[in-house]
mmCIF file of all heavy atoms in Angstrom:
data_model
loop_
_atom_site.group_PDB
_atom_site.id
_atom_site.type_symbol
_atom_site.label_atom_id
_atom_site.label_comp_id
_atom_site.label_asym_id
_atom_site.label_seq_id
_atom_site.Cartn_x
_atom_site.Cartn_y
_atom_site.Cartn_z
ATOM 1 N N VAL A 1 0.840 -1.200 0.000
ATOM 2 C CA VAL A 1 0.000 0.000 0.000
ATOM 3 C C VAL A 1 0.871 1.246 0.000
ATOM 4 O O VAL A 1 0.603 2.223 -0.716
ATOM 5 C CB VAL A 1 -0.949 -0.007 1.214
ATOM 6 C CG1 VAL A 1 -1.707 1.317 1.309
ATOM 7 C CG2 VAL A 1 -1.929 -1.170 1.130
ATOM 8 N N ALA A 2 1.928 1.235 0.803
ATOM 9 C CA ALA A 2 2.807 2.403 0.882
ATOM 10 C C ALA A 2 3.561 2.639 -0.417
ATOM 11 O O ALA A 2 3.759 3.787 -0.835
ATOM 12 C CB ALA A 2 3.788 2.225 2.041
ATOM 13 N N GLU A 3 3.983 1.561 -1.075
ATOM 14 C CA GLU A 3 4.798 1.696 -2.276
ATOM 15 C C GLU A 3 3.985 2.024 -3.518
ATOM 16 O O GLU A 3 4.419 2.821 -4.364
ATOM 17 C CB GLU A 3 5.582 0.395 -2.510
ATOM 18 C CG GLU A 3 6.643 0.134 -1.459
ATOM 19 C CD GLU A 3 7.218 -1.271 -1.583
ATOM 20 O OE1 GLU A 3 6.891 -1.967 -2.576
ATOM 21 O OE2 GLU A 3 7.976 -1.678 -0.681
ATOM 22 N N ASP A 4 2.793 1.400 -3.640
ATOM 23 C CA ASP A 4 2.033 1.562 -4.891
ATOM 24 C C ASP A 4 0.548 1.309 -4.642
ATOM 25 O O ASP A 4 -0.001 0.296 -5.072
ATOM 26 C CB ASP A 4 2.577 0.581 -5.940
ATOM 27 C CG ASP A 4 2.058 0.882 -7.334
ATOM 28 O OD1 ASP A 4 1.307 1.863 -7.490
ATOM 29 O OD2 ASP A 4 2.404 0.126 -8.263
ATOM 30 N N PRO A 5 -0.128 2.234 -3.957
ATOM 31 C CA PRO A 5 -1.518 1.975 -3.555
ATOM 32 C C PRO A 5 -2.481 1.815 -4.720
ATOM 33 O O PRO A 5 -3.543 1.211 -4.558
ATOM 34 C CB PRO A 5 -1.867 3.209 -2.718
ATOM 35 C CG PRO A 5 -0.922 4.270 -3.167
ATOM 36 C CD PRO A 5 0.348 3.549 -3.509
ATOM 37 N N ARG A 6 -2.152 2.316 -5.913
ATOM 38 C CA ARG A 6 -3.049 2.228 -7.057
ATOM 39 C C ARG A 6 -2.951 0.905 -7.805
ATOM 40 O O ARG A 6 -3.699 0.683 -8.761
ATOM 41 C CB ARG A 6 -2.787 3.389 -8.026
ATOM 42 C CG ARG A 6 -3.099 4.757 -7.425
ATOM 43 C CD ARG A 6 -2.903 5.875 -8.453
ATOM 44 N NE ARG A 6 -3.223 7.169 -7.888
ATOM 45 C CZ ARG A 6 -4.443 7.692 -7.845
ATOM 46 N NH1 ARG A 6 -5.467 7.019 -8.347
ATOM 47 N NH2 ARG A 6 -4.650 8.881 -7.313
ATOM 48 N N SER A 7 -2.046 0.034 -7.391
ATOM 49 C CA SER A 7 -1.852 -1.227 -8.120
ATOM 50 C C SER A 7 -2.420 -2.435 -7.388
ATOM 51 O O SER A 7 -2.155 -3.570 -7.784
ATOM 52 C CB SER A 7 -0.359 -1.451 -8.390
ATOM 53 O OG SER A 7 0.112 -0.517 -9.330
ATOM 54 N N LEU A 8 -3.180 -2.216 -6.330
ATOM 55 C CA LEU A 8 -3.785 -3.339 -5.612
ATOM 56 C C LEU A 8 -5.189 -3.580 -6.152
ATOM 57 O O LEU A 8 -6.194 -3.398 -5.460
ATOM 58 C CB LEU A 8 -3.828 -3.059 -4.100
ATOM 59 C CG LEU A 8 -2.555 -3.378 -3.320
ATOM 60 C CD1 LEU A 8 -1.445 -2.407 -3.668
ATOM 61 C CD2 LEU A 8 -2.819 -3.340 -1.823
ATOM 62 N N HIS A 9 -5.266 -3.998 -7.439
ATOM 63 C CA HIS A 9 -6.574 -4.249 -8.042
ATOM 64 C C HIS A 9 -7.159 -5.548 -7.505
ATOM 65 O O HIS A 9 -8.237 -5.566 -6.923
ATOM 66 C CB HIS A 9 -6.440 -4.332 -9.565
ATOM 67 C CG HIS A 9 -5.892 -3.091 -10.182
ATOM 68 N ND1 HIS A 9 -5.481 -3.041 -11.491
ATOM 69 C CD2 HIS A 9 -5.674 -1.849 -9.674
ATOM 70 C CE1 HIS A 9 -5.047 -1.826 -11.765
ATOM 71 N NE2 HIS A 9 -5.146 -1.091 -10.677
ATOM 72 N N ASP A 10 -6.445 -6.648 -7.713
ATOM 73 C CA ASP A 10 -6.876 -7.978 -7.266
ATOM 74 C C ASP A 10 -5.686 -8.575 -6.540
ATOM 75 O O ASP A 10 -4.643 -8.825 -7.154
ATOM 76 C CB ASP A 10 -7.292 -8.822 -8.468
ATOM 77 C CG ASP A 10 -7.566 -10.278 -8.114
ATOM 78 O OD1 ASP A 10 -7.771 -10.571 -6.927
ATOM 79 O OD2 ASP A 10 -7.578 -11.111 -9.036
ATOM 80 N N VAL A 11 -5.814 -8.784 -5.217
ATOM 81 C CA VAL A 11 -4.654 -9.136 -4.400
ATOM 82 C C VAL A 11 -4.934 -10.375 -3.551
ATOM 83 O O VAL A 11 -6.084 -10.755 -3.324
ATOM 84 C CB VAL A 11 -4.270 -7.965 -3.466
ATOM 85 C CG1 VAL A 11 -3.761 -6.781 -4.267
ATOM 86 C CG2 VAL A 11 -5.451 -7.551 -2.590
ATOM 87 N N HIS A 12 -3.843 -10.991 -3.095
ATOM 88 C CA HIS A 12 -3.893 -12.080 -2.125
ATOM 89 C C HIS A 12 -3.139 -11.680 -0.863
ATOM 90 O O HIS A 12 -2.232 -10.863 -0.912
ATOM 91 C CB HIS A 12 -3.240 -13.343 -2.702
ATOM 92 C CG HIS A 12 -4.100 -14.091 -3.652
ATOM 93 N ND1 HIS A 12 -3.753 -15.335 -4.145
ATOM 94 C CD2 HIS A 12 -5.301 -13.799 -4.213
ATOM 95 C CE1 HIS A 12 -4.701 -15.766 -4.975
ATOM 96 N NE2 HIS A 12 -5.642 -14.847 -5.029
ATOM 97 N N GLY A 13 -3.541 -12.284 0.260
ATOM 98 C CA GLY A 13 -2.822 -12.132 1.510
ATOM 99 C C GLY A 13 -3.410 -11.070 2.418
ATOM 100 O O GLY A 13 -4.276 -10.299 2.016
ATOM 101 N N PRO A 14 -2.924 -11.051 3.657
ATOM 102 C CA PRO A 14 -1.979 -12.007 4.246
ATOM 103 C C PRO A 14 -2.687 -13.279 4.701
ATOM 104 O O PRO A 14 -3.912 -13.344 4.682
ATOM 105 C CB PRO A 14 -1.426 -11.233 5.445
ATOM 106 C CG PRO A 14 -2.573 -10.370 5.875
ATOM 107 C CD PRO A 14 -3.282 -9.977 4.605
ATOM 108 N N TRP A 15 -1.887 -14.263 5.126
ATOM 109 C CA TRP A 15 -2.428 -15.538 5.610
ATOM 110 C C TRP A 15 -2.064 -15.779 7.075
ATOM 111 O O TRP A 15 -2.384 -16.813 7.623
ATOM 112 C CB TRP A 15 -1.911 -16.706 4.769
ATOM 113 C CG TRP A 15 -2.329 -16.617 3.343
ATOM 114 C CD1 TRP A 15 -3.442 -17.168 2.774
ATOM 115 C CD2 TRP A 15 -1.652 -15.939 2.281
ATOM 116 N NE1 TRP A 15 -3.502 -16.871 1.433
ATOM 117 C CE2 TRP A 15 -2.410 -16.113 1.098
ATOM 118 C CE3 TRP A 15 -0.482 -15.187 2.207
ATOM 119 C CZ2 TRP A 15 -2.033 -15.573 -0.125
ATOM 120 C CZ3 TRP A 15 -0.103 -14.648 0.989
ATOM 121 C CH2 TRP A 15 -0.880 -14.843 -0.168
ATOM 122 N N GLU A 16 -1.363 -14.845 7.672
ATOM 123 C CA GLU A 16 -1.011 -14.936 9.083
ATOM 124 C C GLU A 16 -1.490 -13.672 9.787
ATOM 125 O O GLU A 16 -1.525 -12.589 9.202
ATOM 126 C CB GLU A 16 0.516 -15.060 9.275
ATOM 127 C CG GLU A 16 1.128 -16.277 8.616
ATOM 128 C CD GLU A 16 1.569 -16.003 7.189
ATOM 129 O OE1 GLU A 16 1.502 -14.827 6.766
ATOM 130 O OE2 GLU A 16 1.969 -16.951 6.502
ATOM 131 N N HIS A 17 -1.866 -13.814 11.035
ATOM 132 C CA HIS A 17 -2.264 -12.652 11.841
ATOM 133 C C HIS A 17 -1.074 -11.696 11.898
ATOM 134 O O HIS A 17 0.040 -12.077 12.239
ATOM 135 C CB HIS A 17 -2.662 -13.098 13.248
ATOM 136 C CG HIS A 17 -3.514 -12.107 13.972
ATOM 137 N ND1 HIS A 17 -3.048 -10.857 14.344
ATOM 138 C CD2 HIS A 17 -4.804 -12.169 14.416
ATOM 139 C CE1 HIS A 17 -4.010 -10.196 14.968
ATOM 140 N NE2 HIS A 17 -5.087 -10.966 15.024
ATOM 141 N N GLN A 18 -1.314 -10.431 11.593
ATOM 142 C CA GLN A 18 -0.229 -9.456 11.489
ATOM 143 C C GLN A 18 0.150 -8.834 12.832
ATOM 144 O O GLN A 18 1.207 -8.217 12.951
ATOM 145 C CB GLN A 18 -0.636 -8.341 10.526
ATOM 146 C CG GLN A 18 -0.994 -8.837 9.134
ATOM 147 C CD GLN A 18 0.196 -9.477 8.439
ATOM 148 O OE1 GLN A 18 1.124 -8.783 8.017
ATOM 149 N NE2 GLN A 18 0.189 -10.796 8.339
ATOM 150 N N GLY A 19 -0.700 -8.980 13.841
ATOM 151 C CA GLY A 19 -0.465 -8.344 15.134
ATOM 152 C C GLY A 19 -1.707 -7.581 15.551
ATOM 153 O O GLY A 19 -2.538 -7.214 14.714
ATOM 154 N N LEU A 20 -1.845 -7.317 16.846
ATOM 155 C CA LEU A 20 -3.072 -6.696 17.338
ATOM 156 C C LEU A 20 -3.328 -5.343 16.686
ATOM 157 O O LEU A 20 -4.451 -5.044 16.279
ATOM 158 C CB LEU A 20 -3.007 -6.545 18.862
ATOM 159 C CG LEU A 20 -3.015 -7.849 19.662
ATOM 160 C CD1 LEU A 20 -2.994 -7.567 21.156
ATOM 161 C CD2 LEU A 20 -4.215 -8.722 19.300
ATOM 162 N N ALA A 21 -2.305 -4.512 16.561
ATOM 163 C CA ALA A 21 -2.476 -3.218 15.898
ATOM 164 C C ALA A 21 -2.320 -3.346 14.390
ATOM 165 O O ALA A 21 -3.050 -2.714 13.621
ATOM 166 C CB ALA A 21 -1.476 -2.208 16.452
ATOM 167 N N GLU A 22 -1.382 -4.176 13.950
ATOM 168 C CA GLU A 22 -1.076 -4.271 12.530
ATOM 169 C C GLU A 22 -2.235 -4.841 11.710
ATOM 170 O O GLU A 22 -2.442 -4.434 10.563
ATOM 171 C CB GLU A 22 0.177 -5.133 12.328
ATOM 172 C CG GLU A 22 1.459 -4.515 12.862
ATOM 173 C CD GLU A 22 1.656 -4.711 14.362
ATOM 174 O OE1 GLU A 22 0.743 -5.290 15.022
ATOM 175 O OE2 GLU A 22 2.705 -4.294 14.894
ATOM 176 N N GLN A 23 -3.001 -5.772 12.278
ATOM 177 C CA GLN A 23 -4.147 -6.338 11.560
ATOM 178 C C GLN A 23 -5.168 -5.237 11.261
ATOM 179 O O GLN A 23 -5.725 -5.161 10.164
ATOM 180 C CB GLN A 23 -4.784 -7.456 12.383
ATOM 181 C CG GLN A 23 -5.768 -8.321 11.637
ATOM 182 C CD GLN A 23 -5.095 -9.439 10.832
ATOM 183 O OE1 GLN A 23 -3.874 -9.473 10.685
ATOM 184 N NE2 GLN A 23 -5.888 -10.362 10.312
ATOM 185 N N HIS A 24 -5.407 -4.385 12.238
ATOM 186 C CA HIS A 24 -6.364 -3.290 12.058
ATOM 187 C C HIS A 24 -5.801 -2.218 11.132
ATOM 188 O O HIS A 24 -6.553 -1.620 10.349
ATOM 189 C CB HIS A 24 -6.742 -2.706 13.416
ATOM 190 C CG HIS A 24 -7.626 -3.597 14.219
ATOM 191 N ND1 HIS A 24 -8.994 -3.448 14.271
ATOM 192 C CD2 HIS A 24 -7.331 -4.686 14.986
ATOM 193 C CE1 HIS A 24 -9.506 -4.392 15.056
ATOM 194 N NE2 HIS A 24 -8.526 -5.148 15.500
ATOM 195 N N ALA A 25 -4.505 -1.969 11.211
ATOM 196 C CA ALA A 25 -3.891 -0.981 10.322
ATOM 197 C C ALA A 25 -4.034 -1.409 8.870
ATOM 198 O O ALA A 25 -4.371 -0.593 7.995
ATOM 199 C CB ALA A 25 -2.420 -0.789 10.688
ATOM 200 N N LEU A 26 -3.783 -2.691 8.582
ATOM 201 C CA LEU A 26 -3.910 -3.177 7.208
ATOM 202 C C LEU A 26 -5.361 -3.102 6.745
ATOM 203 O O LEU A 26 -5.636 -2.686 5.609
ATOM 204 C CB LEU A 26 -3.397 -4.614 7.107
ATOM 205 C CG LEU A 26 -3.517 -5.270 5.738
ATOM 206 C CD1 LEU A 26 -2.757 -4.486 4.682
ATOM 207 C CD2 LEU A 26 -3.026 -6.719 5.785
ATOM 208 N N ALA A 27 -6.303 -3.491 7.601
ATOM 209 C CA ALA A 27 -7.719 -3.440 7.227
ATOM 210 C C ALA A 27 -8.147 -2.023 6.875
ATOM 211 O O ALA A 27 -9.000 -1.820 6.005
ATOM 212 C CB ALA A 27 -8.581 -3.983 8.369
ATOM 213 N N GLY A 28 -7.556 -1.032 7.531
ATOM 214 C CA GLY A 28 -7.927 0.344 7.268
ATOM 215 C C GLY A 28 -7.180 0.982 6.116
ATOM 216 O O GLY A 28 -7.649 1.982 5.561
ATOM 217 N N ALA A 29 -6.031 0.412 5.744
ATOM 218 C CA ALA A 29 -5.181 1.058 4.737
ATOM 219 C C ALA A 29 -5.296 0.449 3.351
ATOM 220 O O ALA A 29 -5.011 1.114 2.356
ATOM 221 C CB ALA A 29 -3.715 1.001 5.188
ATOM 222 N N THR A 30 -5.689 -0.818 3.250
ATOM 223 C CA THR A 30 -5.657 -1.490 1.952
ATOM 224 C C THR A 30 -6.546 -0.785 0.924
ATOM 225 O O THR A 30 -7.571 -0.188 1.288
ATOM 226 C CB THR A 30 -6.074 -2.963 2.089
ATOM 227 O OG1 THR A 30 -5.946 -3.618 0.819
ATOM 228 C CG2 THR A 30 -7.515 -3.080 2.544
ATOM 229 N N THR A 31 -6.141 -0.867 -0.328
ATOM 230 C CA THR A 31 -6.865 -0.193 -1.408
ATOM 231 C C THR A 31 -7.375 -1.174 -2.456
ATOM 232 O O THR A 31 -7.704 -0.788 -3.571
ATOM 233 C CB THR A 31 -5.943 0.833 -2.097
ATOM 234 O OG1 THR A 31 -4.759 0.163 -2.555
ATOM 235 C CG2 THR A 31 -5.545 1.946 -1.137
ATOM 236 N N SER A 32 -7.458 -2.445 -2.112
ATOM 237 C CA SER A 32 -7.807 -3.471 -3.095
ATOM 238 C C SER A 32 -9.209 -3.277 -3.647
ATOM 239 O O SER A 32 -10.113 -2.824 -2.958
ATOM 240 C CB SER A 32 -7.688 -4.866 -2.482
ATOM 241 O OG SER A 32 -8.661 -5.047 -1.472
ATOM 242 N N LEU A 33 -9.371 -3.648 -4.918
ATOM 243 C CA LEU A 33 -10.682 -3.703 -5.546
ATOM 244 C C LEU A 33 -11.318 -5.079 -5.341
ATOM 245 O O LEU A 33 -12.528 -5.196 -5.193
ATOM 246 C CB LEU A 33 -10.570 -3.418 -7.041
ATOM 247 C CG LEU A 33 -9.866 -2.123 -7.446
ATOM 248 C CD1 LEU A 33 -9.843 -1.990 -8.962
ATOM 249 C CD2 LEU A 33 -10.539 -0.924 -6.819
ATOM 250 N N LEU A 34 -10.494 -6.123 -5.370
ATOM 251 C CA LEU A 34 -10.929 -7.502 -5.116
ATOM 252 C C LEU A 34 -9.888 -8.163 -4.234
ATOM 253 O O LEU A 34 -8.702 -8.181 -4.577
ATOM 254 C CB LEU A 34 -11.094 -8.277 -6.426
ATOM 255 C CG LEU A 34 -11.448 -9.767 -6.302
ATOM 256 C CD1 LEU A 34 -12.796 -9.944 -5.616
ATOM 257 C CD2 LEU A 34 -11.458 -10.435 -7.684
#
């Protein structure tokens, strides 16, 4: 997301819990279309 937020059209991952704060940070920051 930080490097290229416009290129997350159809993405995979993550498959592991990222951490108590990190899981929520990713959920709020991701820009995926699918």
Side-chain angles (χ1 to χ4, degrees):
V1 173
E3 292 170 8
D4 192 2
R6 296 183 179 274
S7 291
L8 276 70
H9 300 169
D10 172 18
V11 293
H12 282 188
W15 298 268
E16 300 90 6
H17 200 294
Q18 302 296 287
L20 293 182
E22 293 82 357
Q23 193 83 350
H24 288 262
L26 178 59
T30 184
T31 56
S32 67
L33 306 180
L34 176 62

